[in-house]
Amino acid sequence: MRRWVAVVVALCVMSTASAAIGLGDRFIDVGPDHTFVSEIEWLAERGITRGCNPPANDRFCPDDVVTRGQMAAFLVRALGLVGSGNLEFVDGDESIFEGDIERLAAAGITRGCNPPTNDRFCPDDPVTRGQMAAFLVRALGLTVGGGQGFVDTTASVFEADIDKLAAAGITRGCNPPANDRFCPDDPVTRGQMAAFLFRALSSRGFEIVSVSTEGVPGNGLSFAHAISSDGRYVSFASHADNLVSGDTNGASDVFVRDRVSGTTERVSVGVGGQANGEETGTSGTDISDDGRYVVFESDADNLVGGDENGLGDVFLRDRSTGVTIRISEGPDGEADGPSQAPRISADGRYTVFHTYATNLTEEGGGVVLYDRVAGQLTHIGQGSNPRISGNGRYIAYATGGEVIRHDRTTGNEVRVDVSTAGVPANTPGHAVEITADGRFVLFQSQASNLVPGDTNDLVDLFLRDVTAGTTVRVSEATGDDGQLSGPSFSGGVSDDGQRVVFSTDASDAVNDDENEVRDVFVREVAAKITRRFNLSPNGDEANGTGQAPLPTSDGRWILFMNQADNLVDGGVEQLLIGPVGP
């Protein structure tokens, strides 16, 4: 069963929130004894609600019904949604919430109010509790229900959403103390809405990914992780020996966690059973979007027959057929040098990796591409640290001190570690990530000439928009001139290029960073806003390192390595995932 351990903590936060804020002082109609005073104050402090009577905004109107337009504004502020899409509703032009509605639609959180046409949003209609459940489930990416079994939801079109909301601890029912009813058709008041949002957002909802099928956290370090576009599947390496039964090799292995089914499977197995090498998966793992194909590196010699080179090789595991093959093989047989750092395309057809072998292709070592359908290797270039776009067309890699994006269709290569004016970086860099369509490349560089005013002489993260020809530094504090005082490290970027996640040792990425450890941050690229992500449920700093963050393709979930013991019970040396909150 999926672990929502941090949501339980969130309910405890609610009972203690009144001690942390001055209750009843902000809105004249929400006194210290109001049922939802803690939740309302929490939302107001974070700018998610501003009041109900502008410009004074000294009232909250907790008993007023929330309209769909108001709900859009609340969610846009809470989730930090930026930009807009092409989806327009015919009744949105005259609404003061038009921009919020468009952002909500672009994020896939709303679909309209008149199915199947869905060309209307109905901004002035009240939001029902069932509709609220659907909004929040889409906004948070909740996928698993918990069988709450409210007696009045069977006939509701929102039954599945309500079940998922209950499983996450965000709703408890509408008729305490029994709480066996949800009242899906009742309108939501502003006070109730505050409670919904507080429970959904006050805890990051951190979930331990490196757990067994029974939900037991691993007893060793987990690392070298990758995540499918929708966040369902996570591949990772781990030194733990309690994630599956029969793990007796005393070495790292590669696993896949299915967050929907709640199962964990060891995939670094082959004809000889469990891998007999000392190191498996240490240079990285990756997984196709459907979870079927997993690639990893291993020095084991018993995963396939005839493995006698005594070197690290790259393997591909088909989870559907249960077959593991070695893909770092040339036409003449085994590689004469080690291979590592595999990355796979979204459909699982193409895998790119780095090799020191000279006999895999005629061109020798460097960056090599394996085509699973054709069963062939192609030499891409003399370089290292390759990344492949989700569509398999583009490959980003470092070569000769430059970061290159290679187009497999045209054969063209463009340098991406350049300034917006086209000036090449004055120090070497390397590729960190490339988006599914290959438009955006995230790279790491210590160059001082890629953006104006770069004087920190430290490694920073930069985002290159190949289509627009722009380069921006994304490892910054909020604002226009927020260069950091410490180096920044690997991360990832959402497919639209609007959200970047990274880790840094700097203490000035946000205010009040006093824990003196590496943290995980979220950068809203267009808005130039930076937020710290690895905070405890009550907002305390992590007391251990957070690093190597990766986002889902929409940027709404982040997976990272955690060493803190105050984010979630049992979370030390584990991989955690959580939704991006306010």
Side-chain angles (χ1 to χ4, degrees), residues 268-275 280 296 298 300-305 307 315 324:
S268 53
V269 293
V271 293
Q274 63 181 349
T280 295
F296 59 92
S298 177
D301 63 11
N302 67 335
L303 297 181
V304 296
D307 189 341
F315 298 87
T324 300

Side-chain angles (χ1 to χ4, degrees), residues 264-399:
T264 300
E265 173 189 352
R266 181 164 58 166
V267 294
S268 53
V269 293
V271 293
Q274 63 181 349
N276 63 4
E278 295 182 1
E279 299 291 346
T280 295
T282 54
S283 69
T285 70
D286 206 1
I287 190 165
S288 61
D289 273 356
D290 62 1
R292 176 172 178 174
Y293 300 103
V294 185
V295 289
F296 59 92
E297 166 266 332
S298 177
D299 63 0
D301 63 11
N302 67 335
L303 297 181
V304 296
D307 189 341
E308 300 176 351
N309 64 357
L311 300 169
D313 292 303
V314 174
F315 298 87
L316 183 148
R317 174 76 171 177
D318 185 335
R319 296 179 59 231
S320 293
T321 64
V323 174
T324 300
I325 63 173
R326 182 171 57 175
I327 63 177
S328 55
E329 289 186 7
D332 298 326
E334 294 192 282
D336 60 8
S339 300
Q340 60 190 12
R343 296 292 185 271
I344 198 167
S345 61
D347 63 0
R349 174 169 179 172
Y350 301 105
T351 298
V352 66
F353 60 93
H354 174 250
T355 185
Y356 292 98
T358 62
N359 63 337
L360 297 186
T361 66
E362 292 182 357
E363 296 85 354
V367 176
V368 175
L369 179 89
Y370 173 75
D371 183 337
R372 179 180 52 81
V373 175
Q376 295 178 344
L377 290 173
T378 301
H379 190 268
I380 300 299
Q382 298 294 338
S384 62
N385 201 49
R387 299 290 187 267
I388 189 167
S389 60
N391 60 16
R393 175 173 175 174
Y394 299 99
I395 297 169
Y397 64 101
T399 178

Side-chain angles (χ1 to χ4, degrees), residues 46-336:
R46 286 152 181 81
I48 299 172
T49 183
R50 301 166 183 165
C52 65
N53 59 325
N57 278 332
D58 59 353
R59 302 177 66 85
F60 182 75
C61 308
D63 299 323
D64 285 5
V65 172
V66 178
T67 67
R68 288 171 58 88
Q70 292 169 340
M71 188 70 247
F74 281 124
L75 287 176
V76 164
R77 295 175 201 145
L79 299 173
L81 300 180
V82 296
S84 61
N86 296 322
L87 181 59
E88 294 184 359
F89 298 106
V90 297
D91 58 350
D93 292 347
E94 297 181 0
S95 173
I96 61 174
F97 302 112
E98 179 184 7
D100 298 310
I101 293 168
E102 289 181 356
R103 293 183 183 97
L104 211 65
I109 298 172
T110 184
R111 300 166 184 165
C113 66
N114 59 327
T117 307
N118 278 332
D119 60 350
R120 302 178 65 84
F121 182 75
C122 308
D124 299 322
D125 286 4
V127 176
T128 67
R129 289 171 59 88
Q131 291 169 343
M132 170 72 80
F135 275 129
L136 290 177
V137 164
R138 294 176 201 143
L140 300 177
L142 304 181
T143 58
V144 177
Q148 181 72 18
F150 293 114
V151 299
D152 60 346
T153 60
T154 304
S156 174
V157 297
F158 302 112
E159 180 182 13
D161 296 311
I162 294 166
D163 192 40
K164 292 169 186 173
L165 210 65
I170 297 172
T171 184
R172 306 167 185 168
C174 66
N175 59 325
N179 278 331
D180 59 351
R181 302 177 64 83
F182 183 75
C183 309
D185 299 321
D186 285 3
V188 177
T189 67
R190 288 171 58 89
Q192 292 168 342
M193 178 238 29
F196 274 122
L197 291 180
F198 176 85
R199 294 174 198 149
L201 301 172
S202 65
S203 168
R204 297 284 180 175
F206 286 132
E207 169 191 346
I208 303 178
V209 174
S210 46
V211 296
S212 67
T213 298
E214 294 73 30
V216 179
N219 58 8
L221 179 67
S222 295
F223 57 101
H225 44 288
I227 188 168
S228 61
S229 293
D230 62 359
R232 173 172 179 172
Y233 301 102
V234 175
S235 63
F236 63 97
S238 181
H239 290 293
D241 62 10
N242 65 336
L243 296 179
V244 296
S245 60
D247 189 343
T248 58
N249 61 2
S252 61
D253 293 293
V254 176
F255 302 86
V256 169
R257 176 70 175 174
D258 183 338
R259 297 177 55 234
V260 172
S261 68
T263 57
T264 300
E265 173 189 352
R266 181 164 58 166
V267 294
S268 53
V269 293
V271 293
Q274 63 181 349
N276 63 4
E278 295 182 1
E279 299 291 346
T280 295
T282 54
S283 69
T285 70
D286 206 1
I287 190 165
S288 61
D289 273 356
D290 62 1
R292 176 172 178 174
Y293 300 103
V294 185
V295 289
F296 59 92
E297 166 266 332
S298 177
D299 63 0
D301 63 11
N302 67 335
L303 297 181
V304 296
D307 189 341
E308 300 176 351
N309 64 357
L311 300 169
D313 292 303
V314 174
F315 298 87
L316 183 148
R317 174 76 171 177
D318 185 335
R319 296 179 59 231
S320 293
T321 64
V323 174
T324 300
I325 63 173
R326 182 171 57 175
I327 63 177
S328 55
E329 289 186 7
D332 298 326
E334 294 192 282
D336 60 8

Side-chain angles (χ1 to χ4, degrees), residues 28 80 351 445 463 513 571:
I28 61 176
T351 298
S445 178
L463 185 66
D513 187 342

Side-chain angles (χ1 to χ4, degrees), residues 409-425:
T409 300
T410 66
N412 292 336
E413 292 191 336
V414 296
R415 184 170 181 177
V416 297
D417 61 331
V418 297
S419 70
T420 298
V423 178

